[in-house]
Amino acid sequence: MGKSPCRDEREGLKKGPWTVEEDRKLLDYIQKHGHGRWRILPNNAGLKRCGKSCRLRWTNYLRPDIKRGRFSFEEEDTIIQLHGVLGNKWSAIAAHLPGRTDNEIKNYWNTHIRKRLLRMGIDPVTHTPRLDLLELYSILSSSLYHSSQLNNFPSQQPGVGPLGNPNLQGLATADHLLSPQYKTTEITSQYDPQQNQYHNTLVSNQFQSSHPIHELNTSTYAAQVNQLHSAVQETRPCAASHALSTPFRREPQLTQAKLEQLSPNLTNFIRQNALTNLWPSMGDQPNLARNDFPLQNVDSIIDPQLENEILQTRNNIDQQIPNYSFGSLTTTTSPSPTPLSSTTGHLRQLQH
DNA sequence: AACAGTATCAACCGCACCAAT
DNA sequence: GATTGGTGCGGTTGATACTGT
């Protein structure tokens, strides 16, 4: 292994920001002699810098073909899509963006894109929805479901639970919308009359989609939110018991009125959007087909204000209904390592 | 106006890989 | 095969700019 050139730096070598004079010396030298041989370059150029520092200054700043200024929409799309495939391979991503350095892309990702993804509720590492938000969303949703079920489904029957709803199953899997090359999960639901509850199963599927990434849109994201919504409840026993399996369990529950009192905006959001699909009885137009529900405002779930309200509501619920435990909702662990490449459209809506 | 908190990004650091010796 | 120099890469730091109070 070669050792780092700067680790054995001699006394007197300068560090820190480059001056105009240093830039000029480095540029002059490289214009005359070319770059390379970075270890001997500083001496020859009259610079009190280590070779590595000179190389970085050249490649990240002084190179004539460097494009400076704000990233374009196209560049940002490229970064997000490549990151979904390549991960933090900044140099590989930079190879697809002429004039941009890996360092610049890395900084832009960490300071802009990553934060925006987090605000959207998307894990920037796996490109999948964050479970901490989804889980609360699903639990709150389930409470609305309970109250609606009490009003509209006096007797429990196989097939009428949330995942017994064929529209929901189609929406939850939505595999024809998902991006190519990635695995997804299919959710199946079976009613167990002995235990008076549903058993929901995740089945992993590998498939190829004919839809390119750029065709993915808000409805894709909504479908995946619903998929994760179901997956969360399946993998979390506590949440599952509330949301899917036993609608009439005698456990502390949030009533719709209570939830509205705690969080009117969130309740309104749930009623107006995704849950209209899940539980048509709560919507204005019951029994509509899947395509009749465009989920037009699903992006509002990624609004920072709503996110704050979700967290605040969770705290309020913790305080007011002590037995209604959310468990550990702070995890951002994804249920699967499957990337989600449908993020760029949503980013676009949040920009500027 | 002053201060604190936050965002940005150039530069640095440490490690890994590769080729030459 | 071991050593060494050169370079690339990703993560982190810290100075500066910006924003809010």
Side-chain angles (χ1 to χ4, degrees):
Chain A
M1 294 296 173
K3 59 182 179 179
S4 177
C6 277
R7 291 178 68 185
D8 60 346
E9 67 183 29
R10 301 172 300 276
E11 285 289 325
L13 286 189
K14 192 176 175 228
K15 289 167 64 175
W18 280 64
T19 65
V20 175
E21 179 63 18
E22 286 175 314
D23 281 347
R24 192 187 57 75
K25 283 183 179 177
L26 181 57
L27 269 175
D28 284 350
Y29 181 86
I30 289 176
Q31 279 170 2
K32 289 175 186 167
H33 305 94
H35 56 80
R37 309 285 296 168
W38 292 105
R39 184 175 281 264
I40 61 170
L41 185 148
N43 261 344
N44 294 344
L47 288 163
K48 293 189 181 307
R49 295 269 182 177
C50 70
K52 187 172 185 174
S53 180
C54 294
R55 178 173 56 83
L56 281 174
R57 183 63 177 173
W58 169 256
T59 55
N60 287 336
Y61 198 82
L62 294 177
R63 237 173 51 202
D65 58 332
I66 282 184
K67 187 197 294 182
R68 310 211 71 87
R70 187 180 174 77
F71 281 74
S72 68
F73 290 158
E74 291 72 24
E75 286 175 317
E76 194 168 292
D77 276 345
T78 303
I79 293 171
I80 293 168
Q81 291 181 16
L82 288 174
H83 187 273
V85 177
L86 300 170
N88 292 358
K89 303 290 182 188
W90 305 117
S91 57
I93 294 173
H96 292 81
L97 294 163
R100 301 294 189 181
T101 68
D102 53 354
N103 203 42
E104 192 178 14
I105 293 169
K106 177 177 60 182
N107 283 332
Y108 189 71
W109 175 271
N110 287 328
T111 57
H112 293 91
I113 301 175
R114 184 177 171 276
K115 289 176 183 175
R116 208 176 299 143
L117 288 175
L118 286 171
R119 277 206 306 272
M120 290 169 56
I122 295 172
D123 188 315
V125 177
T126 62
H127 291 235
T128 57
R130 290 162 60 193
L131 279 191
D132 52 345
L133 296 182
L134 279 170
E135 194 161 347
L136 176 66
Y137 163 73
S138 68
I139 291 170
L140 293 176
S141 302
S142 75
S143 294
L144 294 183
Y145 166 71
H146 294 153
S147 57
S148 103
Q149 288 291 295
L150 286 169
N151 292 335
N152 297 287
F153 294 101
S155 65
Q156 190 175 11
Q157 301 166 9
V160 298
L163 286 182
N165 181 337
N167 284 342
L168 171 61
Q169 288 205 20
L171 185 64
T173 55
D175 54 5
H176 66 288
L177 285 171
L178 295 174
S179 57
Q181 87 215 37
Y182 301 129
K183 287 182 179 177
T184 185
T185 51
E186 181 179 333
I187 299 124
T188 62
S189 178
Q190 277 192 321
Y191 178 70
D192 181 351
Q194 287 190 329
Q195 296 187 18
N196 191 34
Q197 62 182 242
Y198 289 91
H199 294 293
N200 304 293
T201 309
L202 291 179
V203 181
S204 192
N205 278 335
Q206 185 99 43
F207 65 89
Q208 293 290 319
S209 166
S210 59
H211 292 254
I213 290 173
H214 69 265
E215 289 183 20
L216 299 170
N217 53 26
T218 302
S219 62
T220 312
Y221 184 75
Q224 300 203 17
V225 165
N226 283 327
Q227 178 181 347
L228 265 292
H229 167 254
S230 301
V232 163
Q233 290 164 343
E234 205 281 332
T235 55
R236 298 271 185 159
C238 175
S241 68
H242 280 285
L244 296 176
S245 303
T246 58
F248 302 104
R249 267 176 83 149
R250 298 294 181 209
E251 291 182 7
Q253 288 182 4
L254 284 171
T255 63
Q256 185 172 346
K258 186 71 176 177
L259 185 60
E260 281 180 349
Q261 178 191 339
L262 288 167
S263 179
N265 290 341
L266 180 60
T267 311
N268 192 44
F269 166 77
I270 291 172
R271 183 184 292 114
Q272 285 182 0
N273 295 287
L275 294 197
T276 357
N277 293 269
L278 307 188
W279 305 297
S281 61
M282 295 192 62
D284 296 333
Q285 299 172 286
N287 303 320
L288 288 179
R290 167 182 163 182
N291 287 340
D292 296 327
F293 294 95
L295 300 175
Q296 62 269 29
N297 294 322
V298 75
D299 275 332
S300 60
I301 198 170
I302 58 184
D303 186 305
Q305 284 188 335
L306 185 66
E307 178 174 343
N308 287 335
E309 186 172 355
I310 288 172
L311 297 175
Q312 193 172 357
T313 302
R314 189 176 78 180
N315 292 335
N316 290 339
I317 293 171
D318 282 340
Q319 290 172 5
Q320 299 190 25
I321 314 176
N323 290 334
Y324 194 93
S325 171
F326 286 109
S328 57
L329 291 179
T330 53
T331 176
T332 57
T333 304
S334 173
S336 76
T338 57
L340 175 76
S341 298
S342 60
T343 51
T344 53
H346 311 288
L347 277 172
R348 189 66 61 242
Q349 295 180 26
L350 288 173
Q351 279 177 328
H352 316 302

